[in-house]
Amino acid sequence: MGINDKNNNAYGKDPDYGAIFMSNSETKRECFKRGLFGLPSSDIQFVEQIKTGMILFLFEYEKRQLHGVFKASCDGAINIVPNAFAKVGKQFPAQVRIQ
């Protein structure tokens, strides 16, 4: 099997699409603590396109590190966990749970 074969991962096929969320080191800790990725309300149309089972990554821009692979454990929505990022002074109501 070659590196580009469609049957080269644990699920038996390459995923059709995924998404990358952005964070800094502070919001990254919140994401991992809650099992939740979030974006500002201006990105709700993007987040609502995320469906259960979709692969996700988290890019920590301060350290330029990509974390993943994560899997969406629900569809993206508004305020799955209201005020989830309030302790870090952020408002990210466009959210998706991860595993």
Side-chain angles (χ1 to χ4, degrees):
M1 223 184 276
I3 217 157
N4 294 323
D5 290 345
K6 284 288 186 187
N7 296 323
N8 210 18
N9 69 20
Y11 299 108
K13 65 178 183 132
D14 287 340
D16 292 327
Y17 38 90
I20 298 174
F21 282 72
M22 303 286 284
S23 78
N24 61 25
S25 58
E26 199 171 27
T27 55
K28 178 191 80 170
R29 285 190 293 275
E30 182 85 3
C31 288
F32 293 161
K33 176 184 166 190
R34 293 185 180 274
L36 184 78
F37 288 170
L39 291 173
S41 56
S42 59
D43 293 316
I44 188 58
Q45 288 183 325
F46 168 77
V47 173
E48 285 179 333
Q49 293 180 49
I50 296 172
K51 302 301 177 196
T52 302
M54 190 176 199
I55 62 166
L56 304 172
F57 296 89
L58 186 67
F59 183 70
E60 184 182 350
Y61 61 84
E62 291 171 330
K63 294 183 180 177
R64 302 190 58 77
Q65 291 179 337
L66 185 65
H67 302 276
V69 172
F70 302 96
K71 193 174 183 182
S73 60
C74 70
D75 291 352
I78 285 281
N79 286 324
I80 294 170
V81 178
N83 302 312
F85 297 90
K87 286 184 181 178
V88 294
K90 304 293 181 184
Q91 292 186 3
F92 297 134
Q95 302 171 352
V96 63
R97 286 202 179 275
I98 58 158
Q99 56 182 5

